[in-house]
Amino acid sequence: MPELPEVETIRRDLLSRIVGRTITSAFVSSNAPRLVQLMPPAEFCKQLPGHRIEDISRRGKYLLVHLSGGLYWIVHLRMTGRFLHREDPCPEDPYLRAGFTLDNGSSLCFVDLRKFGTMWLIDDPSLVVGKLGPEPLSDDFTVAGLRDLLVRRSAPVKAVLLDQHAIAGIGNIYADEALFNAGINPRRAANKVSKPKTEALHAGVRQALLDALSDRGSSFSDYVDGSGRSGRHQLKVKVFRRTDQPCYSCGTQIRRVKVAGRSTHFCPNCQR
DNA sequence: CTTATTCCCTGATTGC
DNA sequence: TGCAATCAGGGAATAA
């Protein structure tokens, strides 16, 4: 499940490896008919070659590959997507959904078991990422902004953290970790989170993301970085997938419940 | 505007 | 042991 720390790790990996390269060929598997958005895959494969990769940025969980001519190649990995760069052509893989060759013989391989991943080739990225909430690691994410968000909503606070239009880039792992950091019960109504707890949540979100980023992301299942290596943060999570294990802070067994349709892990003692 | 539910997809897990 | 039903999850679409 690539979330902000995982996508940012991939971005940094790819940035050092493919900026300046020109795309020489593109292929999309016929068994991935939903991968390319807004245009037929054949059109996408025809347009991409010839463009030089100028930069790579990230917005929430979206990767934006800036191409020559002002075009953007946007990639979302969803649940099981992998976006890998290698020095030779993409190897045989039953889940290889798209492959791209670069002008130095290296390649980008898009591997995605569940086929939820999507990509766009588009002039105006705001059509794809324009409605996302603030970047939680930027100055746009403030305690006051978070407070405004929470007071208007009666949904569980975890549902708000997962809402990409509220804050961009948080998924199931870091929503649970952030709420633990802040000592907030995930089921608590957003508009009942106190002011001090809102401050704690703001800090808790940032800490969860920064901790994961420094570990190059969490590899619970499919996630690997831009070179195909696993992250390490799955070994350090405080609550996510630690059901029935003791809380590191108080020893109470971590509980698992369903909130906002997602598995949710928390310490019933530390998160009241 | 909000919140809840369904859908996409397939390997892993659970239940009988 | 075997096979079917359920689960996992990001986010768009749909319903209410």
Side-chain angles (χ1 to χ4, degrees), chain A residues 8 29 66 89 106 127 149 193 210 213-214 224 228 236 254 263 268:
Chain A
E8 178 62 18
S29 170
H66 304 218
S106 68
L127 293 177
L149 206 59
V193 174
L210 288 172
L213 200 45
S214 71
V224 291
K236 298 196 201 167
I254 301 302
S263 296

Side-chain angles (χ1 to χ4, degrees), chain A residues 58-119:
Chain A
R58 179 191 57 73
R59 190 73 176 85
K61 303 174 194 174
Y62 295 79
L63 268 181
L64 290 86
V65 182
H66 304 218
L67 301 174
S68 53
L71 205 56
Y72 291 82
W73 176 17
I74 303 181
V75 178
H76 196 303
L77 303 170
R78 304 281 167 142
M79 287 194 54
T80 57
R82 296 175 164 185
F83 200 35
L84 300 152
H85 179 251
R86 38 184 305 139
E87 298 304 329
D88 45 5
C90 299
E92 274 302 300
D93 184 320
Y95 307 123
L96 181 72
R97 310 300 181 192
F100 309 87
T101 57
L102 306 180
D103 59 355
N104 61 351
S106 68
S107 64
L108 283 164
C109 317
F110 187 83
V111 178
D112 185 16
L113 188 150
R114 286 182 196 166
K115 303 188 202 178
F116 284 1
T118 43
M119 49 182 73

Side-chain angles (χ1 to χ4, degrees), chain A residues 158 175-177 179-180 183-187 238-245 247 252-259 263-272:
Chain A
K158 174 163 175 180
D176 282 3
E177 295 295 296
L179 288 163
F180 177 83
I184 298 171
N185 189 301
R187 284 198 153 129
K238 296 163 182 170
V239 288
F240 187 76
R241 292 203 183 167
R242 294 196 61 244
T243 312
D244 295 338
Q245 292 176 242
C247 170
T252 304
Q253 281 193 356
I254 301 302
R255 286 232 294 142
R256 185 178 121 161
V257 295
K258 206 126 198 159
V259 180
S263 296
T264 297
H265 315 75
F266 73 107
C267 170
N269 181 47
C270 299
Q271 298 171 262
R272 305 233 174 205

Side-chain angles (χ1 to χ4, degrees), chain A residues 108-231:
Chain A
L108 283 164
C109 317
F110 187 83
V111 178
D112 185 16
L113 188 150
R114 286 182 196 166
K115 303 188 202 178
F116 284 1
T118 43
M119 49 182 73
W120 297 255
L121 194 56
I122 199 165
D123 289 318
D124 180 5
S126 74
L127 293 177
V128 178
V129 299
K131 290 182 176 167
L132 293 175
E135 281 295 321
L137 295 180
S138 83
D139 293 341
D140 298 341
F141 180 55
T142 62
V143 174
L146 180 60
R147 180 110 186 112
D148 284 347
L149 206 59
L150 296 181
V151 296
R152 283 188 281 107
R153 301 187 51 171
S154 60
V157 59
K158 174 163 175 180
V160 179
L161 293 184
L162 292 174
D163 180 354
Q164 302 302 298
H165 301 297
I167 307 167
I170 300 172
N172 209 30
I173 301 171
Y174 303 113
D176 282 3
E177 295 295 296
L179 288 163
F180 177 83
N181 286 344
I184 298 171
N185 189 301
R187 284 198 153 129
R188 181 138 198 106
N191 56 14
K192 292 199 170 163
V193 174
S194 70
K195 206 164 179 186
K197 282 296 186 188
T198 302
E199 285 179 34
L201 183 58
H202 179 265
V205 163
R206 291 200 178 198
Q207 198 57 58
L209 297 173
L210 288 172
D211 287 348
L213 200 45
S214 71
D215 284 332
R216 300 185 56 80
S218 304
S219 294
F220 282 97
S221 53
D222 299 85
Y223 166 72
V224 291
D225 66 21
S227 313
R229 290 185 291 259
S230 293

